[in-house]
Amino acid sequence: MAQRSSGRREWSSLALGAYSVVLLAIVMLPIVLVVVVSFSEGSFIRFPVESWSLRWYVRAIEYGPFMHSLWISVQLAVAATAAGCLIGVPAALALARSRSGFATAVAAFLLAPISIPAIVLGFTLLYYLSALGIGVSFLGLWVAHTVVAVPYVARTVIAVYRSVPENLEEAASILGASRWATLRYVTLPVIRPGIFAGSMFAALISFDNLSLSYFFGSTSATTLPVVMLSYMENQFDPAIAAISAIQMAIAVAVLLVLERLYGLDTLVAAK
Amino acid sequence: MSAAEPVRVEPHRALRRFRVARLWWIAPAAVFLVLFFIAPLVANIWRSIGGSAPGRASQRGVLENYTVLVTDPFYFGVLQETIVVAVVVTLACIALGYPLAYFMVRKAGRWKGLILFCLIAPLLTSVVMRAFGWRVIFANRGFLNTLLVDGGLLERPINLANHPVSVYVALIHILLPFMVLSISSVLQAIPRSLEEAARALGASKIKAFWHVTLPLSIEGVITGSILVFVLTNGNFVAALLLGNNSVRTLPLMIYQQFNLTQDTSFAGAMGNVLLVIALIGLWAQSRFGKGRGI
């Protein structure tokens, strides 16, 4: 009897494991295929891939709009994240340790932009900013992406700051440190992982934000996902696979740096 | 005058905990979001009822946009389809994601990191790339058809490109990681000993799961569901690149209104309907969940 039940447990665990492996394989499949296709030679996508080349990478790099918008996307991710930290971190510090109804409500308000469909945000903000005279421009993109960067930064900083014992700062203050010195030498160093993780989230989200950026696209300032979308609406060739792979490589590189510094587990845990 | 002194913060201050941050530090972020998050949404409500929009809107009366959305069979169909898509995708993500989350937290051991990587890696790629990947798979002479035809399972390629199935698959693919991460973060916090206690007291493995683990993890399922539901409602890429108008949802309609007809007042009204759906989701989250989620 005992033997039978342990045999069944083995079987159910095994089935669950097999299921998980299959599901994860399906999750990875489209991404792997895009990378495979990006190295193919032909102008059409077909399987199995017969010959290999780097010509689509050459094409993607030579295609002006891809590289131009990639550069805009990088600048935008950095600018929006920096602005998000500048206003999001102080707000998070002020809110994290208060349990009052007011603080809870303000915190919910700061986090709200990520719970609203991005297409609605982008659409409404475009008309609002146009009325103010800064519609389709880098500045408009910057404002829109900062609105979304604030909640990502604030959320991780609040989570990390709450886990830090309050008496650390009290000790510094009792020992005679001024408020600014305490902030500079105690608070900021201990919440650095939160700022870093939130920044990375904000930057990665900004880097791949389509629903928001779409509405602000102009010839002078448009982001890579928007260019990729319009390219793909008209053409179906491996150049799009090549630029996708390049974009992914950048994002993975950023994440690897982060993983080295703080570990993936802490990032996912920092809710 | 001096009588007012002791009543002020002085005795209080000693008891109050030291704070580095001042309350006014929330002001820059709050003002920024009021100006560039709340104000645009309010302006959009005004525009959607024909307040200040150029073009066709001026001929429409107050609330006429909303009347059209509810009474016109086409747009009412869009409204229904939007909700159907979001519900189906959410349920599919629960059904597919829960076992994976359970496996990752309870059984995977040292493979946990790898599973986590497989879940996060897609989030690092562009949604355009993932849509492209599914087109590569579902195309007439794509990966799936080649596999099935060469494998002798099919005589001729099946046409899944531009079929609703590919839109659903792509949406589930995009949103599954959010569900799994929401559930696993809650499962992680449930002590294994609770399940072991139920087992020791004679419950079968399935009973222990059904009466102990599942109810305790339901909060993660709710949070994940709300997240997936809201994100599905904001996604137009899957329907645009894979559906070829076979799946018509509100976000796709907003995109098309903006692109083709430039009827900003009507698009604004559709945006508000989406917004209301999102707000119901937020309300549900504060009601049922405790604000967890990725």
Side-chain angles (χ1 to χ4, degrees), chain B residues 26-291:
Chain B
I26 61 177
V31 169
F32 182 82
L33 289 187
V34 166
L35 278 179
F36 297 113
F37 172 56
I38 298 299
L41 293 176
V42 173
N44 186 51
I45 294 174
W46 179 240
R47 189 182 317 109
S48 74
I49 56 174
S52 63
R56 277 212 289 156
S58 49
Q59 282 111 49
R60 288 214 184 117
V62 176
L63 294 185
E64 202 177 316
N65 284 323
Y66 295 96
T67 323
V68 169
L69 271 175
V70 181
T71 53
D72 185 291
F74 176 78
Y75 285 108
F76 190 65
V78 168
L79 211 59
Q80 280 179 311
E81 182 145 31
T82 306
I83 292 171
V84 168
V85 168
V87 169
V88 169
V89 168
T90 306
L91 291 179
C93 283
I94 297 174
L96 292 169
Y98 197 100
L100 180 60
Y102 187 84
F103 180 78
M104 180 171 101
V105 172
R106 287 287 155 91
K107 310 272 183 198
R110 64 202 174 91
W111 298 105
K112 196 179 157 197
L114 183 67
I115 297 178
L116 210 52
F117 173 81
C118 287
L119 287 170
I120 292 176
L123 301 179
L124 298 179
T125 67
S126 163
V127 274
V128 180
M129 177 184 189
R130 280 172 273 169
F132 182 83
W134 285 109
R135 251 168 90 160
V136 168
I137 291 172
F138 285 133
N140 250 337
R141 314 197 58 181
F143 182 77
L144 187 67
N145 275 322
T146 310
L147 208 67
L148 293 177
V149 174
D150 287 358
L153 290 167
L154 277 180
E155 278 178 28
R156 70 177 79 155
I158 43 167
N159 192 8
L160 280 175
N162 302 330
H163 189 276
V165 165
S166 56
V167 178
Y168 280 96
V169 169
L171 278 173
I172 293 166
H173 180 239
I174 290 169
L175 297 163
L176 185 68
F178 294 97
M179 180 65 83
V180 176
L181 293 172
S182 298
I183 295 174
S184 64
S185 71
V186 175
L187 271 181
Q188 189 89 56
I190 302 173
R192 232 177 245 256
S193 52
L194 288 179
E195 217 170 316
E196 280 159 11
R199 296 273 289 143
L201 291 170
S204 71
K205 200 169 171 57
I206 290 169
K207 259 198 164 155
F209 172 78
W210 190 254
H211 292 292
V212 177
T213 314
L214 187 63
L216 286 172
S217 62
I218 207 75
E219 193 194 289
V221 176
I222 292 170
T223 313
S225 302
I226 291 160
L227 201 61
V228 169
F229 189 85
V230 171
L231 288 173
T232 309
N233 280 329
N235 186 301
F236 66 89
V237 179
L240 177 71
L241 292 179
L242 292 155
N244 193 24
N245 281 327
S246 65
V247 176
R248 294 173 201 268
T249 59
L250 274 178
L252 181 66
M253 288 296 128
I254 294 174
Y255 170 86
Q256 288 177 347
Q257 288 285 343
F258 176 81
N259 239 6
L260 307 172
T261 59
Q262 290 284 331
D263 186 347
T264 59
S265 149
F266 192 50
M270 290 196 284
N272 280 329
V273 174
L274 259 187
L275 189 64
V276 168
I277 296 175
L279 288 178
I280 293 172
L282 267 187
W283 174 80
Q285 178 159 28
S286 67
R287 182 86 176 63
F288 301 116
K290 283 196 326 210

Side-chain angles (χ1 to χ4, degrees), chain A residues 204-228:
Chain A
L204 287 172
I205 296 287
S206 158
F207 195 49
D208 178 39
N209 196 317
L210 182 59
S211 311
L212 209 52
S213 312
Y214 176 77
F215 297 100
F216 295 89
S218 69
T219 41
S220 64
T222 191
T223 64
L224 180 60
V226 178
V227 172
M228 283 168 65

Side-chain angles (χ1 to χ4, degrees), chain A residues 34-245:
Chain A
V34 171
V35 175
V36 169
V37 162
S38 72
F39 289 109
S40 69
E41 162 118 69
S43 311
F44 299 103
I45 289 152
R46 68 172 53 184
F47 288 91
V49 174
E50 275 148 12
S51 52
W52 308 91
S53 83
L54 288 173
R55 63 179 277 219
W56 296 109
Y57 282 88
V58 175
R59 160 114 171 103
I61 288 165
E62 282 176 347
Y63 183 65
F66 279 163
M67 286 302 124
H68 181 67
S69 61
L70 176 62
W71 178 227
I72 297 275
S73 282
V74 170
Q75 288 175 297
L76 182 62
V78 172
T81 305
C85 285
L86 205 61
I87 61 177
V89 172
L93 290 180
L95 290 171
R97 291 196 173 160
S98 174
R99 300 280 172 184
S100 72
F102 172 74
T104 319
V106 175
F109 171 58
L110 291 188
L111 302 188
I114 43 180
S115 306
I116 303 294
I119 188 168
V120 178
L121 274 187
F123 175 80
T124 58
L125 197 55
L126 171 68
Y127 285 101
Y128 179 78
L129 290 181
S130 298
L132 296 182
I134 44 167
V136 177
S137 63
F138 186 81
L139 187 60
L141 278 171
W142 189 17
V143 170
H145 282 233
T146 304
V147 168
V148 178
V150 168
Y152 280 103
V153 172
R155 194 175 53 174
T156 49
V157 172
I158 286 176
V160 170
Y161 194 44
R162 273 192 185 146
S163 68
V164 173
E166 296 193 27
N167 45 26
L168 268 185
E169 287 151 332
E170 268 167 27
S173 137
I174 287 164
L175 291 171
S178 70
R179 220 157 54 81
W180 289 109
T182 310
L183 179 72
R184 167 78 182 77
Y185 295 106
V186 181
T187 313
L188 285 181
V190 294
I191 62 162
R192 215 182 51 174
I195 298 178
F196 208 84
S199 300
M200 282 304 148
F201 272 127
L204 287 172
I205 296 287
S206 158
F207 195 49
D208 178 39
N209 196 317
L210 182 59
S211 311
L212 209 52
S213 312
Y214 176 77
F215 297 100
F216 295 89
S218 69
T219 41
S220 64
T222 191
T223 64
L224 180 60
V226 178
V227 172
M228 283 168 65
L229 179 70
S230 61
Y231 188 91
M232 195 174 148
E233 276 188 290
N234 302 316
Q235 276 143 293
F236 189 56
D237 69 38
I240 200 92
I243 190 71
S244 294

Side-chain angles (χ1 to χ4, degrees), chain A residues 10-25:
Chain A
E10 283 303 308
W11 183 83
S12 71
S13 284
L14 223 64
L16 193 60
Y19 165 80
S20 300
V21 169
V22 170
L23 185 63
L24 288 172

